Amino acid sequence: WSKNSISLCFRNVNALAPMVRVGTLPTRLLSLDYGADIVYSEVSLSVEKVQVLETVDFVAPDERVMFRTCEKEKDRVVFQMGTADPDRALIVARLVENDVAAIDVNMGCPKEYSTKGGMGAALLSDPDKIEAILRTLVKGVSKPVTCKIRILPTLEDTVSLVKRIENTGVAAIAVHGRLKDERPRHPVHCDFIQAIAEAVSIPVIANGGSLDRVKAHADIEEFRKVTGASSVMVARAAMWNPSVFRSQGLLSVEEVMEEYLKYAIRYDNHAFNTKYCLCQMLRDKVESPLGKQLKSAQTNKEICEGYGLQEYYKKTQAELQARREAIQTNHNHPNQPVLDGDVTTMHVKFERREYPGEFSPKMFLLEWSRKENLEQPRYETVQRSQDRAFQSMVTMTGKKYRSTLWEKSKKYAEQASAIVCLRVLGLPEGRAGEEYSGLVGKRKREEKSNETPDEEDTTTYFGARKRHLSENPEKQRVTNYSK
């Protein structure tokens, strides 16, 4: 197996197990540095590319980053999803398949937040649904598909299930050697994993040995032999010290924590998640002076102070700021517009921080249309079903303009289309650093006129109250569709 191979191999590999809150990008990259062959992610939703961080982010509807990945792990990261619906699983898998090495379905999580939706370990009692999900994914995506299960109460039922899973065409199966009602304190059933490995021809990845089996790198190979599995997946032992994957032996937790924190800063990991992962590494030292300082920290900058990494933090932040400025400079020289049918398109994304003034691009376009006594701009917005992203088209003087990028909200999509129109027309758009355009603000305009502002005023960022679209339904329209 080659690290640069296009099709991921699951034989004779050591993998970082998927872990809620722990399996974020810093932990995955650190595990790869220490020798892990494959790393598993968490469940994720919509996607956007972040130029400054050089990452691809999968974002929830509330804009939280659920999964962040980068080029370094692209050929070795397995995207794990929780699902109980074959069609929805395929939509998500197709959304992420170009940025990951394989797709995995979680069929072993016993936690209520997973099982109450019919996902995770709840699937173990519904083999027909398991087959439907896996067959749909195997047929529908270009990357290898795998799944992770727990064992059933009897060996016969467990072997029967994994044979059905094998027949779906999956590339491998990970087996956590515990029943769904058992917890980490219970011994892992190595005999079940061994029987599964003997019953199927696809690679079996053994999991669940961190309690009494896997303490260091040498134990990983021993666990593999005891279970007869092709590969081993490590969870808690890697959570406590990712250098468990290091063939030369464990490093001190202090050294590992420092390297982890560098990745957390480089990739702008959320401070609360950084704290959580570092506390897992501290374990029984969490009440030490360092642990107390860590728990009181509220930002990554404050966390760095406890580890003496202030200079690294400053240097990294300076590099990221320089990258932001370079990107903004490039934005000042936008790409050329392209005609797509009767719509003029450009590769434009609305970045709110680049428009710090009172006016938004939409308002600049509206003010210009008023100044020129033209018909006001009209926006039509569509929503993509698989990730709920938006794309808007604005019509101005009979011509249509649209960004080729999808945005996280309807407002942002409209702003992006307004930017395209303004740039094509050579008009100011309100970006930081632009000279004063001379356009009259809403408040000044109202001082000169007793007229009530029309609906278009109330759809901008001026905080005016929005009128009901039912008053003028043709002005804006949102359509749900699948692309």
Side-chain angles (χ1 to χ4, degrees), residues 55 58 71 93 98 163 168 227-228 237 293 301 317 359 383 441 472:
T55 64
F58 292 82
E71 188 67 27
N98 291 331
K163 284 185 175 181
T168 64
T227 59
Q293 185 173 354
K301 181 180 179 180
Q317 292 304 308
F359 285 90
Q383 185 177 23
N472 200 348

Side-chain angles (χ1 to χ4, degrees), residues 6-152:
I6 296 176
S7 182
L8 197 61
C9 175
F10 292 89
R11 293 191 185 278
N12 301 315
V13 296
N14 296 330
L16 174 71
M19 290 181 282
V20 175
R21 298 179 70 182
V22 175
T24 44
L25 184 58
T27 301
R28 298 197 307 270
L29 293 180
L30 197 57
S31 296
L32 290 174
D33 285 348
Y34 290 141
D37 301 301
I38 299 174
V39 289
Y40 280 69
S41 78
E42 297 180 86
V43 178
S44 311
L45 297 170
S46 62
V47 60
E48 63 179 35
K49 295 186 184 294
V50 182
Q51 289 178 289
V52 172
L53 299 175
E54 298 175 335
T55 64
V56 176
D57 288 0
F58 292 82
V59 186
D62 61 3
E63 301 182 18
R64 288 177 299 134
V65 176
M66 304 296 288
F67 167 46
R68 172 168 286 162
T69 186
C70 66
E71 188 67 27
K72 181 174 179 178
E73 67 169 4
K74 183 176 181 179
D75 294 332
R76 293 191 282 171
V77 63
V78 180
F79 173 86
Q80 186 185 71
M81 70 170 72
T83 184
D85 185 314
D87 294 330
R88 287 184 60 82
L90 182 59
I91 289 172
V92 174
R94 284 177 171 170
L95 182 67
V96 306
E97 66 175 319
N98 291 331
D99 296 294
V100 299
I103 307 292
D104 183 81
V105 180
N106 179 350
M107 299 179 176
C109 180
K111 299 296 180 65
E112 184 182 359
Y113 61 74
S114 183
T115 58
K116 70 179 180 181
M119 303 181 293
L123 286 171
L124 295 175
S125 59
D126 194 345
D128 291 339
K129 183 172 287 187
I130 287 178
E131 281 197 42
I133 292 171
L134 294 178
R135 289 188 187 279
T136 299
L137 290 175
V138 169
K139 182 179 179 180
V141 298
S142 60
K143 297 296 174 68
V145 175
T146 65
C147 69
K148 182 172 183 284
I149 69 168
R150 284 188 171 229
I151 61 174
L152 299 178

Side-chain angles (χ1 to χ4, degrees), residues 360-373:
S360 68
K362 275 186 66 178
M363 196 60 199
F364 269 90
L365 186 58
L366 176 62
E367 292 288 355
W368 178 78
S369 69
R370 284 173 168 159
K371 182 179 178 182
E372 299 297 321
N373 294 318

Side-chain angles (χ1 to χ4, degrees), residues 168-348:
T168 64
V170 295
I173 179 171
V175 180
H176 185 143
R178 292 186 177 88
L179 298 166
K180 66 178 182 180
D181 295 327
E182 291 182 325
R183 293 298 176 261
R185 65 180 181 274
H186 296 106
V188 61
H189 300 273
C190 293
D191 54 335
F192 272 61
I193 302 177
Q194 185 177 27
I196 292 169
E198 294 173 353
V200 297
S201 59
I202 58 174
V204 172
I205 308 172
N207 177 230
S210 292
L211 174 67
D212 51 10
R213 295 277 180 179
V214 178
K215 307 294 183 184
H217 183 268
D219 300 328
I220 297 176
E221 180 59 30
E222 182 61 27
F223 187 47
R224 188 196 320 270
K225 291 178 180 178
V226 169
T227 59
S230 300
S231 303
V232 172
M233 177 181 284
V234 183
R236 285 170 302 138
M239 175 180 72
W240 298 324
N241 190 331
S243 70
V244 70
F245 292 111
R246 192 170 177 268
S247 60
Q248 301 92 328
L250 284 169
L251 296 173
S252 69
V253 172
E254 290 74 19
E255 182 177 347
V256 171
M257 293 173 75
E258 183 174 317
E259 293 304 310
Y260 169 89
L261 188 51
K262 288 180 180 178
Y263 271 131
I265 300 306
R266 166 64 183 82
Y267 288 102
D268 195 27
N269 198 52
H270 196 287
F272 290 154
N273 181 255
T274 300
K275 283 175 57 176
Y276 180 83
C277 293
L278 290 173
C279 284
Q280 301 310 305
M281 296 183 204
L282 277 175
R283 299 184 72 184
D284 56 356
K285 297 180 182 179
V286 74
E287 294 302 324
S288 66
L290 177 61
K292 291 179 179 179
Q293 185 173 354
L294 174 61
K295 289 195 293 185
S296 67
Q298 297 298 309
T299 65
N300 280 328
K301 181 180 179 180
E302 293 176 359
I303 296 174
C304 283
E305 293 173 358
Y307 288 83
L309 291 175
Q310 297 95 320
E311 289 304 315
Y312 179 84
Y313 180 85
K314 291 179 182 178
K315 178 183 176 183
T316 304
Q317 292 304 308
E319 291 173 352
L320 294 178
Q321 181 60 32
R323 203 171 294 153
R324 289 189 189 96
E325 293 173 356
I327 292 171
Q328 184 166 328
T329 299
N330 290 335
H331 284 175
N332 290 332
H333 303 281
N335 56 3
Q336 295 298 313
V338 175
L339 198 61
D340 181 6
D342 62 343
V343 183
T344 301
T345 67
M346 294 178 72
H347 197 72
V348 169

